């Protein structure tokens, strides 16, 4: 009797848990009553920031990625270090590299004016990433919202969980698998490197030491990326050499021609299991666009804080 009662109780708990977790899902209409203007406000600020500087679209897209891969899409990357707080902005993948924080602050101020205390910084990152891709000519998708902001951040998790440009195909796949994303998602999301820039320090080894690189491409990249560490470390090169400010499938065409800028880029087309997907995206922009949009939605779903977890930060730079 006692056993069946505890069985029934356990079942009830399980049901309640299921109910509460299904309630906690993100949705596209989360702000339709509380802040109906949020999507137009974010879009207009993203568009004007990109009109001023095309690279900003790439930078905003990357911020969302670096947010989601570290303890979920919870706005943790936006928390600034203070004397008593160490966040993610100075973690190795972000330090002197991640950018766009000011645009996020501008968006947040505008949204706070319209709907104070309603829209999370984590959601702003997700919407801004989509609007950036669209503004630069890429696909659109419906952004799910309803994330809360974290009260913590983790430099250690950032160093551990964001994939590095030195990674092999296996390393890349496991780093995405750890976030619940497949190798297929990884190859699709890497198409983000159709826009934006990388610093010499991140691709030096590839252009000097790897053999799976087109030699004239390597030579031309070496002209502005000296072999020795020094002031040239920060010199920039486009991740897609032809159209670095247009979101398209050129990235994959480059990989087929051994013109990937990062070691990790070229790993996706290096005689391994992902070659066929790269080939397919290089000739089918619509398949790439559809897979990219689907994978962005999946990435945006990584362990969000919802319901009573987390907070709506007033200022994205610090906890309330
Ligand atoms: C597959 C593993 C990935 C690795 C190893 C990687 C690595 C890098 C590195 C090293 C840079 C250059 C940073 C610098 O030099 O300052 C970069 C730039 C960038 N990454 Fe990735 N990335 C990966 C996946 C992604 C994903 C999934 C996204 C987006 C969903 C993304 C979006 C970007 C963008 C847009 C830029 C250019 C940023 C700018 O110009 O400001 N990356 N990435």
């Amino acid at each position: 009797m006692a056993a069946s009662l505890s069985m029934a109780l356990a079942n009830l708990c399980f049901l309640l848990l299921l109910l509460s977790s299904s309630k906690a899902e993100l949705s596209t209409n989360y702000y339709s009553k509380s802040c109906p203007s949020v999507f137009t406000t974010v879009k207009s600020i993203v568009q004007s920031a990109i009109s001023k500087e095309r690279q900003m679209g790439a930078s905003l897209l990357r911020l969302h990625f670096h947010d989601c891969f570290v303890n979920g899409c919870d706005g943790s990357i936006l928390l600034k270090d203070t004397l008593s707080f160490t966040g993610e902005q100075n973690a190795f993948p972000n330090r002197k590299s991640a950018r766009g924080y000011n645009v996020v602050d501008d968006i947040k101020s505008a949204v706070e004016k319209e709907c104070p205390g309603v829209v999370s910084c984590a959601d702003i990152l997700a919407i801004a990433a989509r609007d950036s891709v669209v503004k630069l000519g890429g696909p659109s998708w419906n952004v799910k919202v309803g994330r809360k902001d974290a009260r913590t951040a983790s430099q250690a998790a950032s160093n551990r969980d964001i994939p590095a440009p030195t990674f092999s195909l296996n390393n890349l796949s496991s780093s995405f698998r750890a976030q619940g994303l497949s190798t297929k998602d990884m190859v699709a999301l890497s198409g983000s490197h159709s826009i934006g820039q990388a610093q010499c320090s991140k691709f030096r080894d590839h252009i000097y030491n790897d053999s799976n690189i087109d030699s004239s491409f390597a030579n031309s990249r070496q002209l502005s990326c000296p072999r020795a560490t020094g002031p040239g470390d920060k010199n920039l090169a486009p991740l897609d050499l032809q159209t670095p400010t247009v979101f398209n499938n050129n990235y994959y065409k480059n990989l087929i021609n051994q013109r990937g800028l990062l070691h990790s880029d070229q790993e996706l087309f290096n005689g391994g299991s992902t070659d066929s997907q790269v080939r397919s995206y290089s000739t089918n922009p619509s398949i790439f666009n559809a897979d990219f949009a689907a994978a962005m939605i999946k990435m945006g779903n990584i362990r969000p804080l919802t319901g009573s977890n987390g907070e709506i930060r007033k200022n994205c730079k610090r906890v309330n």
Side-chain angles (χ1 to χ4, degrees):
M1 189 60 196
S4 66
L5 190 69
S6 61
M7 230 355 229
L9 266 174
N11 278 337
L12 188 71
C13 288
F14 182 65
L15 259 176
L16 282 174
L17 203 78
L18 265 184
L19 269 176
S20 68
S21 68
S22 65
K23 250 197 207 154
E25 275 197 6
L26 306 177
S27 71
T28 52
N29 60 4
Y30 185 81
Y31 295 119
S32 58
K33 295 219 164 65
S34 57
C35 194
S37 60
V38 62
F39 288 106
T40 41
T41 305
V42 177
K43 183 160 71 183
S44 88
I45 297 176
V46 167
Q47 289 185 340
S48 68
I50 295 177
S51 303
K52 271 189 213 129
E53 189 215 1
R54 302 276 289 179
Q55 193 195 348
M56 191 48 74
S59 308
L60 290 169
L61 172 59
R62 186 168 182 240
L63 276 187
H64 179 47
F65 162 50
H66 283 202
D67 182 32
C68 291
F69 265 55
V70 183
N71 293 320
C73 314
D74 61 359
S76 54
I77 192 173
L78 302 172
L79 293 174
K80 266 181 90 90
D81 286 4
T82 66
L83 286 176
S84 57
F85 175 82
T86 303
E88 295 163 16
Q89 296 189 350
N90 285 308
F92 187 71
N94 296 330
R95 189 179 169 77
K96 298 189 177 153
S97 171
R99 55 200 293 282
Y101 301 116
N102 292 344
V103 176
V104 176
D105 289 337
D106 290 349
I107 298 172
K108 177 66 172 171
S109 315
V111 171
E112 280 298 297
K113 267 191 200 132
E114 285 161 6
C115 335
V118 173
V119 178
S120 67
C121 300
D123 281 345
I124 287 176
L125 285 178
I127 304 169
R130 188 270 316 265
D131 292 345
S132 296
V133 171
V134 171
K135 172 77 176 165
L136 296 177
S140 189
W141 60 93
N142 294 322
V143 180
K144 293 192 188 179
V145 285
R147 301 168 188 82
K148 294 279 160 54
D149 296 321
R151 295 191 181 90
T152 56
S154 171
Q155 187 174 94
S158 189
N159 284 325
R160 188 192 59 215
D161 294 344
I162 295 173
T166 50
F167 274 15
S168 66
L169 180 57
N170 267 336
N171 295 153
L172 293 167
S173 287
S174 359
S175 122
F176 278 65
R177 202 178 315 117
Q179 306 288 343
L181 300 176
S182 64
T183 298
K184 182 183 171 193
D185 295 327
M186 188 269 290
V187 174
L189 289 171
S190 296
S192 298
H193 290 179
S194 150
I195 52 174
Q197 305 276 328
Q199 305 175 59
C200 166
S201 59
K202 312 272 183 177
F203 60 82
R204 174 180 283 129
D205 281 352
H206 182 54
I207 61 170
Y208 285 102
N209 301 328
D210 283 348
S211 53
N212 59 347
I213 183 168
D214 173 76
S215 56
S216 69
F217 173 64
N219 289 336
S220 71
R221 283 297 159 260
Q222 288 170 5
L223 292 176
S224 53
C225 178
R227 188 188 287 268
T229 309
D233 288 4
K234 293 195 284 293
N235 294 354
L236 294 175
L239 284 155
D240 164 7
L241 71 154
Q242 288 100 355
T243 53
T245 61
V246 179
F247 191 100
N248 56 24
N249 67 338
N250 237 331
Y251 168 78
Y252 301 100
K253 296 184 187 166
N254 291 333
L255 296 186
I256 288 176
N257 294 315
Q258 297 201 311
R259 289 172 174 187
L261 184 63
L262 306 176
H263 170 84
S264 51
D265 289 328
Q266 199 56 57
E267 282 291 290
L268 307 188
F269 189 85
N270 195 32
S273 62
T274 50
D275 282 15
S276 53
Q277 198 184 340
V278 170
R279 276 216 177 81
S280 153
Y281 289 164
S282 75
T283 52
N284 288 297
S286 53
I287 298 182
F288 162 56
N289 282 344
D291 286 357
F292 180 80
M296 282 299 290
I297 295 172
K298 247 173 118 175
M299 187 176 87
N301 278 334
I302 300 174
R303 288 174 293 148
L305 295 170
T306 54
S308 56
N309 295 316
E311 63 181 21
I312 302 294
R313 255 177 243 153
K314 289 194 179 69
N315 179 330
C316 294
K317 289 192 182 74
R318 47 182 174 269
V319 297
N320 290 343

